[in-house]
Amino acid sequence: PILPQKTTPSRLEYLHSKAIRRLRTAPLEWSPALSKIVSYSRFPIWAEDNHNRYYLYLAALIRELKPVNVLELGTKDGASALFMLSALPNDSRFQTIDLNPSPILLEGVLSDQRLTIITADDLDPRFSLTLEAQDPIDLLFMDTEHNSDQLSAELEKYSEFLRPGAIVVVDDIHLNSEMEHWWASLPYEKIDTGLMLHHSGFGIFEYQPIPTTKAETQKPKLSVLYFLHDDSLYLEESIKSAKAFGDIFAFISKTAWHGEHGDWKASEKIA
């Protein structure tokens, strides 16, 4: 029998499996954040609900990744931020941005030096200026408007600040067909957790800069071919204009197509 070969999991698969294992075996590590969520009670036993375990998962992922710089797009009431902060290293930085935040769940941690809440449109170019002087982003959590235009614009803008290998987490990837199509189109290694962590879907991917092709970074290299006999009148100018494209080949016939002999040596000399 042919036995399946053992394969080494990718970094993304390893982080995900470790986070899932931690979520299942040690959920009480985040009991202060969990208690805050439950007391707020927007949903019954909110984070303990099987359909909303992504809060615990975010904390577990933070614990495994140990990011230096975290950016959240979409603060809302601060639930996800609270869980991620609960597991974030003490010397790390957490920024969350929302056009109209109402971070009631962050009231008890507003003095935390790691936390910065920004009220702004995350696609406003002015916000980019605050990121340029910082360390690259290690983890990006995207949870704003659930349409492909918004997500594409956000990813295009913030990829500039992502560290190669940064983990990007996207909520609600199965909320509608537009979200599903956008998720399917991503050219990165990714993991779709289905409905295991959230009733509307939840996914993570590892960002890597997409290498540009030679056609995008260089002028196209073309071979230029001349077939001629004594057509030397504009040959020099023509060859000069073609030199930038690549190699030039001149095939010079000693006999013209109609059998008469011209000054083919002049063509040869110019070429």
Side-chain angles (χ1 to χ4, degrees), residues 74-85:
T75 312
K76 205 171 184 180
D77 48 29
S80 52
L82 183 64
F83 270 91
M84 286 188 278
L85 271 174

Side-chain angles (χ1 to χ4, degrees), residues 6-60:
K6 292 184 178 180
T7 58
T8 303
S10 67
R11 173 174 174 267
L12 182 67
E13 291 170 333
Y14 177 78
L15 284 171
H16 173 65
S17 64
K18 291 280 286 183
I20 289 294
R21 190 178 299 115
R22 183 180 288 274
L23 181 155
R24 290 172 174 168
T25 59
L28 295 180
E29 291 185 33
W30 304 286
S31 56
L34 180 59
S35 299
K36 183 74 175 179
I37 296 288
V38 173
S39 66
Y40 180 49
S41 67
R42 199 178 76 171
F43 294 109
I45 320 179
W46 201 8
E48 292 182 335
D49 190 307
N50 286 333
H51 297 301
N52 291 284
R53 286 194 176 274
Y54 72 97
Y55 295 111
L56 290 170
Y57 176 86
L58 285 170

Side-chain angles (χ1 to χ4, degrees), residues 226 231-239 270:
Y226 291 88
D231 315 277
S232 59
L233 182 60
Y234 298 106
L235 183 58
E236 184 174 0
E237 290 76 9
S238 178
I239 288 178
I270 293 172

Side-chain angles (χ1 to χ4, degrees), residues 77-229:
D77 48 29
S80 52
L82 183 64
F83 270 91
M84 286 188 278
L85 271 174
S86 70
L88 194 68
N90 291 332
D91 57 351
S92 296
R93 179 183 180 91
F94 188 97
Q95 296 178 93
T96 178
I97 180 170
D98 198 298
L99 188 59
N100 295 295
S102 53
I104 185 173
L105 294 170
L106 296 175
E107 289 178 352
V109 294
L110 292 178
S111 60
D112 192 318
Q113 296 299 309
R114 300 169 299 172
L115 174 64
T116 302
I117 302 173
I118 301 166
T119 301
D121 179 350
D122 68 3
L123 294 178
D124 187 329
R126 289 175 294 180
F127 179 54
S128 301
L129 299 177
T130 68
L131 297 173
E132 290 177 355
Q134 299 175 15
D135 291 329
I137 296 168
D138 301 293
L139 186 143
L140 172 65
F141 180 42
M142 303 173 69
D143 190 14
T144 56
E145 297 295 325
H146 299 101
N147 61 73
S148 59
D149 288 344
Q150 177 79 14
L151 289 167
S152 296
E154 288 174 344
L155 188 57
E156 179 181 1
K157 174 179 178 178
Y158 291 101
S159 61
E160 176 185 352
F161 306 103
L162 293 176
R163 186 187 304 279
I167 301 301
V168 181
V169 186
V170 187
D171 193 19
D172 301 311
I173 62 173
H174 295 299
L175 183 66
N176 52 53
S177 60
E178 190 174 352
M179 290 288 289
E180 290 181 331
H181 290 155
W182 179 84
W183 174 258
S185 71
L186 290 175
Y188 308 103
E189 181 189 358
K190 55 194 171 185
I191 296 175
D192 180 351
T193 68
L195 308 182
M196 176 179 67
L197 299 175
H198 199 192
H199 61 81
S200 53
F202 196 78
I204 65 172
F205 68 87
E206 183 178 54
Y207 170 78
Q208 293 291 349
I210 299 175
T212 56
T213 64
K214 289 183 179 179
E216 293 173 322
T217 57
Q218 302 176 0
K219 292 181 178 179
K221 186 171 183 178
L222 304 173
S223 294
V224 180
L225 283 72
Y226 291 88
F227 295 90
L228 64 153
H229 173 56

